[in-house]
Amino acid sequence: MEGGIVKRGKRTRGALKGRTVDTRALADVQKLLNEAQRETGVEPRRRDLLIENLHRIQDQYGHIAAAHIVALAREMKLAMTEVYEVATFYHHFDVVKEGDKAPPALTVRVCDSLSCELSGAGALMTGLKKALGDGVRVIPAPCVGRCEQAPVAVIGQNPVAQATVDKVKPLVAAKKTQCTVGKYVAYAEYRKQGGYTIPAECLAGRRDAETLIKTMENSSLRGLGGAGFPTGRKWRIVRGEKGPRLMAVNIDEGEPGTFKDRHYLETDPHRFLEGMLIAAWTVQVSEIYIYLRDEYAGVRAILEKEIKALQADPPCPLPPIFLRRGAGAYICGEESAMIESIEGKRGMPRLRPPYVAQVGLFGYPTLEHNMETLYWVRDILEKGADWFAGHGRHGRKGLRSFSVSGRVKKPGVHLAPAGITVKELIAEYCGGMLPGHTFYGYLPGGASGGILPASLGDVPLDFDTLHPYGCFIGSAAVIIFSDQDKASGAARNVMKFFAEESCGQCTPCRVGTAKALQLMQAPSWDQGLLEELSAAMADASICGLGQAAPNPIRTVMKYFSKEIL
């Protein structure tokens, strides 16, 4: 390390063999990389910046031509196959092979995940293809993190809420492709409200790390990205590892039904950034990497602006902060796959052990956190551990941000006591069911959390409480469906998502999800074969995607068997 910056070795190799570099494509790539260096002050030819460089080409030309892949490989001194395999791994890179036709200049993506499907995404897709013609590409997209606004279409990077053909068509004609940013608490206003007082006190020696860790332990705050690991314990573990240590913040909010992170970042981003700095100081990390899903273009604009404002007038010395852009891969929500992606690679989960707390980003011990976990740090330290732990129902502790979508009057992010039941959540926070709809079932934890019937609507929603029923709360993405829907159809939708999003690294997940989807298309399910397949996926998959994919199958067979006989 030098000056708090982790040094990374630079690979050297001889002259690249293979395809001849096109001089025009090389000039294009060199121009983009030189512009990036002027803007950021960082050498863009580093290996870990490969995905960032692919984004620059995609943003500039609307696709990535084969000639640009060859040129980028030359500039970064990488094998062409290495660049190609990364570019083709991620959904948002349009790689055009030599001789193939480039896609239309404008793409409209229609979310086809469960909440949007319930709201008519299929009809929207058909209508847009007919109305927009051949000059515009209309394609389905996995969850875009706006389930409360279903159905959603995205024009370039501009999301359209409650989309209809009549809403989208004039925006396409006007080429409204950029996401607009609403009102939020900016840096100056946040500082006036007492923001960043705690990091300044930490750096001034008025707070000590042990007290902070004990406060977090006593608060019962757990990881809010889905895993639920106790926050204070994680800080203690990583702080105990030999330095240098790094930090990676996971905002790859790709679980269908989840949008809480986006909500908080669009309204109060500095509350998260302050919590991030407090955690970084407590654990003594040298660099911070924020990994943001590519679908959140508006959030990216906010963070870019507000991090610059923070760095221009810092309340205390800051560690280096790097904002990295995902490229459309659900698997990168898994912590080790996210780390691989930050390093500029395909988002393939790592085998464990070692865990990322021991050997993480660039091989260093890494503190990995979900955005919302860090969002609550300031409030807990200001108000005390008992304030956070004092919330809760039915014997549970803490607060949960429930992303609620589906057949309710008031979908959205609802901050409620941990342990609240879904019936209480619907009645007290969501305004009840939509007119003409009767509560029939729900997904308590997004696509991978399983599906429960209304008869189990009094089960407390929290970590561990749902396990006896074959479900889990995960990131608290609650999707409500009614007597006008079928649980079997919901299970098919999420299994299609898993099959498309499997990284392909392990056979149980890659083959199992595709085979399960095929079996679930039948009017009558082969339950014996599906259970055998589910057991293989759950027991032998490398990461949580394959391990949790059977949950919708098993819960439908257990609680909604009449639909599949």
Side-chain angles (χ1 to χ4, degrees):
M1 284 182 54
E2 270 181 16
I5 306 296
V6 176
K7 296 177 69 176
R8 301 175 189 83
K10 184 176 180 181
R11 294 190 308 170
T12 59
R13 60 168 72 224
L16 292 172
K17 299 179 181 179
R19 197 168 304 189
T20 304
V21 178
D22 180 87
T23 54
R24 178 177 292 183
L26 183 62
D28 292 340
V29 169
Q30 289 172 338
K31 181 181 178 182
L32 290 173
L33 297 186
N34 291 338
E35 288 173 353
Q37 186 161 8
R38 286 194 295 271
E39 290 172 6
T40 66
V42 176
E43 167 52 61
R45 292 162 179 81
R46 280 182 3 203
R47 173 64 182 82
D48 59 299
L49 293 175
L50 173 57
I51 292 173
E52 297 294 309
N53 293 336
L54 289 168
H55 272 303
R56 292 184 179 98
I57 298 171
Q58 176 76 38
D59 290 346
Q60 180 68 30
Y61 299 102
H63 64 279
I64 301 174
H68 284 140
I69 286 181
V70 176
L72 184 59
R74 169 65 63 87
E75 280 296 294
M76 297 189 70
K77 293 183 171 57
L78 297 172
M80 286 179 285
T81 53
E82 197 169 357
V83 177
Y84 178 79
E85 71 176 8
V86 171
T88 54
F89 181 85
Y90 296 92
H91 298 317
H92 291 183
F93 295 140
D94 289 312
V95 178
V96 179
K97 296 179 181 179
E98 208 168 84
D100 287 354
K101 186 178 179 181
L106 186 58
T107 295
V108 176
R109 291 179 167 85
V110 178
C111 178
D112 66 355
S113 288
L114 183 54
S115 299
C116 285
E117 183 183 81
L118 294 176
S119 298
L124 176 63
M125 171 83 72
T126 301
L128 286 174
K129 285 183 176 180
K130 183 177 179 180
L132 299 180
D134 296 334
V136 177
R137 182 174 60 163
V138 180
I139 59 175
C143 186
V144 296
R146 295 180 177 273
C147 314
E148 84 281 24
Q149 303 170 2
V152 178
V154 183
I155 307 167
Q157 294 184 339
N158 181 22
V160 182
Q162 287 87 42
T164 63
V165 172
D166 290 340
K167 261 189 179 182
V168 173
K169 191 174 180 180
L171 295 173
V172 169
K175 293 184 171 56
K176 298 285 187 180
T177 61
Q178 299 302 310
C179 182
T180 57
V181 174
K183 181 175 174 53
Y184 63 88
V185 180
Y187 181 61
E189 183 181 355
Y190 186 77
R191 288 290 299 273
K192 288 179 182 178
Q193 297 173 357
Y196 292 106
T197 300
I198 296 174
E201 290 175 349
C202 290
L203 269 294
R206 292 196 292 273
R207 289 179 181 261
D208 66 276
E210 181 60 27
T211 301
L212 265 59
I213 291 173
K214 284 184 177 178
T215 301
M216 301 310 297
E217 289 174 336
N218 294 335
S219 73
S220 299
L221 179 67
R222 297 172 67 171
L224 297 175
F229 194 86
T231 301
R233 191 192 308 173
K234 181 180 283 189
W235 289 13
R236 190 177 296 282
I237 289 170
V238 179
R239 183 179 169 86
E241 293 291 327
K242 183 180 178 181
R245 308 171 198 89
L246 303 182
M247 184 175 184
V249 183
N250 192 338
I251 321 180
D252 194 64
E253 190 175 41
E255 181 75 15
T258 311
F259 47 91
K260 62 183 179 62
D261 292 354
R262 191 204 86 233
H263 167 77
Y264 286 125
L265 289 169
E266 287 179 342
T267 52
D268 197 2
H270 285 282
R271 195 166 297 272
F272 147 65
L273 291 172
E274 180 171 7
M276 179 186 77
L277 292 178
I278 294 168
W281 177 83
T282 304
V283 176
Q284 292 294 289
V285 304
S286 302
E287 295 178 346
I288 300 173
Y289 290 79
I290 302 172
Y291 188 84
L292 178 68
R293 71 180 311 209
D294 195 35
E295 289 83 352
Y296 289 173
V299 171
R300 187 168 68 251
I302 290 171
L303 287 178
E304 287 174 345
K305 180 179 179 181
E306 296 308 313
I307 289 172
K308 285 181 180 177
L310 172 64
Q311 292 170 331
D313 181 24
C316 56
L318 304 175
I321 302 171
F322 303 99
L323 179 61
R324 290 295 177 85
R325 180 177 170 184
Y330 167 72
I331 191 63
C332 291
E334 196 276 339
E335 61 178 7
S336 65
M338 175 194 68
I339 284 173
E340 289 286 299
S341 191
I342 292 174
E343 293 179 356
K345 306 170 187 174
R346 294 176 296 167
M348 295 283 198
R350 297 175 179 176
L351 292 171
R352 292 174 290 185
Y355 296 94
V356 299
Q358 303 159 320
V359 182
L361 189 55
F362 305 116
Y364 296 101
T366 301
L367 177 66
E368 189 273 346
H369 267 313
N370 171 253
M371 189 289 304
E372 195 203 348
T373 308
L374 298 169
Y375 183 88
W376 291 112
V377 168
R378 174 189 168 183
D379 281 336
I380 290 171
L381 294 178
E382 285 184 342
K383 300 174 183 178
D386 292 342
W387 166 79
F388 189 81
H391 293 86
R393 292 187 188 178
H394 307 294
R396 312 304 295 181
K397 293 182 178 181
L399 290 166
R400 294 305 304 265
S401 301
F402 292 94
S403 302
V404 186
S405 60
R407 309 297 196 180
V408 293
K409 289 181 181 178
K410 297 179 181 178
V413 175
H414 298 292
L415 183 62
I420 193 172
T421 70
V422 72
K423 287 182 179 178
E424 292 169 339
L425 188 63
I426 293 170
E428 298 175 31
Y429 291 85
C430 302
M433 298 291 290
L434 287 171
H437 290 261
T438 300
F439 179 40
Y440 177 64
Y442 64 109
L443 285 76
S448 54
I451 305 175
L452 292 176
S455 60
L456 290 176
D458 292 317
V459 177
L461 298 175
D462 198 16
F463 298 111
D464 311 320
T465 58
L466 296 160
H467 290 177
Y469 307 95
C471 294
F472 59 80
I473 192 171
S475 58
V478 181
I479 304 176
I480 308 295
F481 56 100
S482 75
D483 55 342
Q484 298 185 24
D485 310 309
K486 286 187 176 295
S488 56
R492 276 191 294 271
N493 180 284
V494 299
M495 189 56 64
K496 176 176 177 288
F497 172 82
F498 290 138
E500 292 173 348
E501 293 297 323
S502 172
C503 73
Q505 181 175 192
C506 67
T507 302
C509 178
R510 181 184 68 250
V511 177
T513 52
K515 182 63 176 178
L517 179 61
Q518 181 184 351
L519 292 170
M520 294 164 73
Q521 303 294 346
S524 179
W525 289 10
D526 186 337
Q527 296 189 52
L529 185 55
L530 277 168
E531 174 53 36
E532 186 178 345
L533 190 61
S534 295
M537 284 193 283
D539 293 342
S541 295
I542 289 174
C543 81
L545 192 158
Q547 293 163 10
N551 289 341
I553 300 172
R554 286 171 157 169
T555 49
V556 166
M557 292 193 299
K558 184 175 182 179
Y559 301 114
F560 301 92
S561 58
K562 291 181 180 179
E563 292 187 14
I564 58 174
L565 293 176

